């Protein structure tokens, strides 16, 4: 059924199905009820909640109990529903519900980054087929408007790079490690106590959540389909206080970054790199100032130059703000006609091989403290076509708990910062360092972003 056929039935009000009434859904419902009159003026017709789908119908949700149902599909199928708001999460169940809504000529608003990152093409095709809207502003960086700006305000520019702190939980943990000197496990537990980290924090700390967001941002920025599986991903679970301290010595801090980049080869061909990893960011960079559970997205575009979007990236009310912005836009289109810009992947750029991606690196290692070590280490880097920018040596090698693991003074800690080099060369170099007699152990390798060369 097309939008026209559907809306002929009901234009004097906009019927909304809310799927999910958890952290985000509860705030969506509360704000819709509190500001109903304002929404009517902004849209041109009242928004009426037709029903709210949940799993557990026995709980008192503080709303008219007749609205609550555990049959989400039946709610989606109601003929008086024009817009479906999905704040359930998960992939397969939500995918089926939203495809069904779109095929019935109903617009969709979702906060579900995992779903959009995996199935945007299919959902967008269904929205195009029925000429309805598919909105997902809340899927990336919570309250921060970034999807709308990429689709509309920046549609006339050529985006080169998007660097984002797009996961509040990991940014809270890394900020706390930096500020308090506490280790990863302690700060993760604190994040749980404060309600940032979920009972199973895997999606956040292993970078899956940020990878979904990187896929969505890359697709929009480079007009090319990028899914979560295309994103190279490393989480923050291996970051130690030694890494934080080594970053500080270089006037940097460590952030889990989503880096989305247009790569232009020497022959002029272009590709897209999307990657998520903890990286050193100079303290002078705007992203270094983003602390706690806040998010930020830093854009570099040909004409606009550098732009940063900053704000709360998670939480019920902030995320509901983005959901409701989408709901107002979708409802306006139901009442007045028109459609939001769909996703446009005309450029169809290929995904870059990760080995070809270039950045700078900090390689921390324990070495044998004797004559010739520095030159041997430097030779390994040179043999892999990697230029060294700086080298810093510490006499004492401490364990994470501060104990001296080298009472005889035989070892030293070496921190080597490189100029830009390819991931493939760096990986081969680290393997050779591991085989060098002068190197006791490569203790960590961290990328460095936000600097030239
Ligand atoms: P919650 O787990 O708090 O809430 C999920 C809701 O969905 C619950 O009300 C649950 O019912 C309901 N639900 C689960 N399965 C079904 C089902 N099969 N049928 C009907 N209802 C179902 O999730 P959040 O509110 O935190 O997140 C929702 C979405 O928003 C996710 O996609 C998430 O990634 C995204 N998001 C969340 C942010 C946040 O800060 N929380 C920020 C940005 C995006 P019941 O209440 O009975 O358990
Ligand atoms: N778990 C996510 C975060 C929620 O910590 O940022 C917002 O997508």
């Amino acid at each position: 059924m097309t939008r026209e056929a559907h809306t002929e039935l009901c234009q004097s009000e906009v019927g909304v199905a809310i799927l999910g009434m958890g952290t985000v859904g509860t705030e969506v419902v509360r704000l819709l009820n509190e500001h109903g009159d304002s929404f009517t003026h902004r849209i041109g017709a009242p928004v009426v909640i037709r029903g709210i789908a949940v799993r557990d119908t026995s709980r008192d949700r503080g709303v008219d109990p007749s609205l609550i149902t555990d049959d989400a599909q039946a709610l989606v199928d109601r003929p008086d529903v024009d817009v479906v708001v999905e704040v359930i999460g998960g992939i397969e169940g939500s995918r089926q519900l939203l495809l069904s809504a779109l095929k019935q000529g109903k617009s969709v608003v979702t906060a579900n980054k995992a779903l959009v990152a995996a199935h945007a093409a299919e959902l967008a095709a269904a929205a195009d087929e029925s000429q309805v809207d598919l909105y997902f502003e809340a899927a990336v960086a919570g309250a921060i408007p970034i999807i709308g700006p990429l689709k509309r305000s920046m549609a006339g520019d050529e985006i080169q790079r998007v660097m984002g702190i797009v996961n509040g939980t990991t940014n809270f943990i890394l900020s706390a490690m930096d500020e308090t000197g506490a280790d990863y496990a302690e700060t993760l537990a604190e994040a749980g106590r404060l309600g940032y980290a979920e009972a199973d924090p895997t999606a956040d700390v292993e970078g899956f959540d940020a990878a979904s967001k990187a896929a969505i941002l890359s697709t929009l920025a480079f007009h090319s389909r990028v899914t979560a599986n295309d994103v190279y991903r490393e989480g923050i679970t291996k970051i130690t206080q030694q890494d934080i301290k080594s970053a500080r010595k270089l006037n940097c801090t460590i952030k889990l970054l989503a880096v989305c980049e247009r790569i232009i080869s020497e022959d002029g061909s272009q590709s897209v790199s999307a990657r998520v990893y903890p990286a050193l960011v100079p303290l002078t960079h705007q992203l270094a100032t983003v602390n706690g559970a806040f998010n930020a997205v830093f854009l570099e575009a040909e004409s606009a130059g550098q732009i940063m979007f900053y704000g709360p990236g998670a939480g019920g009310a902030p995320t509901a703000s983005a959901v409701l912005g989408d709901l107002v836009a979708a409802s306006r289109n139901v009442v007045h006609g028109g459609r939001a810009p769909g996703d446009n992947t005309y450029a169809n750029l290929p995904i870059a091989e990760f080995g070809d991606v270039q950045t700078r690196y900090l390689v921390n290692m324990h070495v044998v403290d004797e004559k010739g070590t520095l030159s041997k280490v430097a030779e390994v880097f040179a043999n892999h076509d990697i230029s060294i920018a700086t080298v810093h040596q510490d006499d004492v090698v401490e364990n994470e708990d501060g104990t001296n693991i080298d009472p005889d003074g035989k070892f030293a800690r070496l921190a080597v910062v490189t100029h830009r080099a390819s991931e493939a060369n760096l990986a081969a170099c680290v393997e050779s360092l591991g085989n060098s007699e002068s190197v006791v152990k490569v203790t960590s390798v961290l990328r460095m972003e936000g600097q030239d060369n």
Side-chain angles (χ1 to χ4, degrees):
M1 190 192 278
T2 63
R3 149 88 52 73
E4 287 74 24
H6 177 75
T7 49
E8 264 177 35
L9 297 171
C10 42
Q11 281 196 338
S12 57
E13 54 187 32
V14 180
V16 179
I18 312 277
L19 311 184
M21 198 178 178
T23 306
V24 181
T26 300
E27 289 301 301
V28 168
V29 172
R30 179 181 71 78
L31 291 162
L32 260 181
N33 286 333
E34 258 179 48
H35 303 296
D37 287 348
S38 304
F39 283 113
T40 301
H41 289 295
R42 291 171 201 179
I43 292 163
V47 169
V48 180
I49 298 177
R50 305 291 188 206
I52 303 167
V54 295
R55 259 178 317 208
D56 176 2
T57 54
S58 67
R59 268 175 50 205
D60 178 11
R61 312 249 174 190
V63 295
D64 175 357
S66 71
L67 290 175
I68 301 292
T69 175
D70 58 4
D71 191 344
Q73 186 63 61
L75 178 57
V76 166
D77 293 345
R78 275 176 63 151
D80 58 355
V81 165
D82 303 287
V83 182
V84 173
V85 173
E86 186 269 313
V87 280
I88 291 178
I91 296 187
E92 197 41 43
S94 294
R95 170 177 166 261
Q96 296 293 348
L97 289 166
L98 297 192
L99 282 174
S100 151
L102 294 165
K103 284 177 183 161
Q104 294 179 57
K106 299 166 188 205
S107 288
V108 160
V109 173
T110 178
N112 191 334
K113 56 255 174 174
L115 174 66
V116 176
H119 295 292
E122 188 183 25
L123 293 166
D128 284 346
E129 177 81 11
S130 299
Q131 292 291 295
V132 291
D133 288 330
L134 170 64
Y135 279 102
F136 47 90
E137 184 62 70
V140 179
I144 303 174
I146 182 65
I147 305 298
L150 282 173
K151 278 193 169 181
R152 286 185 290 273
S153 327
M154 304 209 63
D157 211 331
E158 295 297 309
I159 293 174
Q160 316 294 10
R161 218 158 186 261
V162 182
M163 273 207 299
I165 295 173
V166 289
N167 183 269
T169 305
T170 47
N171 202 50
F172 173 84
I173 292 171
L174 292 172
S175 302
M177 284 177 77
D178 198 323
E179 282 160 19
T180 66
D183 68 17
Y184 169 76
E186 282 174 73
T187 48
L188 173 62
E190 177 69 358
R193 276 193 292 278
L194 291 170
Y196 296 127
E198 298 187 23
D200 177 3
T202 310
D204 292 318
V205 298
E206 294 292 1
F208 291 102
D209 177 79
S212 291
K213 293 163 179 171
I216 296 170
L217 291 172
S218 301
T219 299
L220 295 174
F222 308 120
H223 307 285
S224 301
R225 180 70 60 211
V226 181
T227 68
N229 288 337
D230 297 320
V231 180
Y232 175 86
R233 177 192 53 77
E234 284 177 25
I236 64 162
T237 54
K238 297 194 180 84
I239 298 295
T240 64
Q241 265 306 324
Q242 292 294 358
D243 293 327
I244 304 269
K245 284 179 196 155
S246 65
R248 277 280 157 182
K249 280 185 187 152
L250 297 166
N251 291 319
C252 290
T253 184
I254 297 179
K255 298 288 183 193
L256 183 74
L257 293 184
V259 183
C260 315
E261 203 169 40
R262 182 193 298 274
I263 295 188
I264 305 177
S265 315
E266 279 171 12
D267 65 4
S269 62
Q270 297 192 16
S271 57
V272 172
S273 162
R275 47 200 204 263
V276 167
Y277 44 53
L280 270 70
V281 176
L283 293 173
T284 49
H285 194 284
Q286 288 92 320
L287 286 173
T289 64
V290 179
N291 288 317
F294 279 84
N295 281 194
V297 180
F298 186 82
L299 287 182
E300 293 173 42
E302 184 181 309
S303 307
Q306 299 180 334
I307 300 181
M308 189 160 100
F309 300 78
Y310 169 84
T319 308
S321 162
V323 169
L324 288 169
D326 282 353
L327 177 58
V328 167
S331 301
R332 273 192 201 130
N333 289 343
V334 168
V335 174
H336 305 289
R339 278 186 78 203
D343 83 343
N344 186 339
T345 54
Y346 76 91
N348 200 19
L349 298 181
I351 306 298
E353 285 293 324
F354 186 64
D356 294 340
V357 169
Q358 296 208 350
T359 188
R360 305 181 76 197
Y361 306 88
L362 163 63
V363 182
N364 284 313
M365 60 196 121
H366 294 169
V367 295
V368 181
D369 193 4
E370 64 185 14
K371 278 181 286 194
T373 286
L374 269 184
S375 68
K376 283 180 196 155
V377 167
E379 196 181 338
V380 175
F381 279 85
N383 287 344
H384 291 89
D385 202 21
I386 300 175
S387 170
I388 291 175
T390 64
V391 178
H392 186 272
Q393 181 173 328
D394 279 334
D395 289 339
V396 182
V397 178
E398 283 176 352
N399 256 337
E400 271 301 296
D401 63 6
T403 54
N404 189 343
I405 60 167
D406 179 30
D408 301 331
K410 287 184 186 154
F411 304 149
R413 180 187 296 125
L414 214 55
V416 176
V417 172
T418 74
H419 289 295
R420 282 173 75 82
S422 74
E423 288 284 346
N425 285 358
L426 195 276
C429 174
V430 169
E431 194 180 338
S432 299
L433 287 168
N435 296 329
S436 164
E437 286 172 0
S438 302
V439 177
V440 180
K441 188 182 176 192
V442 176
T443 54
S444 71
V445 178
L446 290 160
R447 281 94 182 176
M448 304 179 77
E449 298 287 353
Q451 287 170 319
D452 294 334
N453 77 344

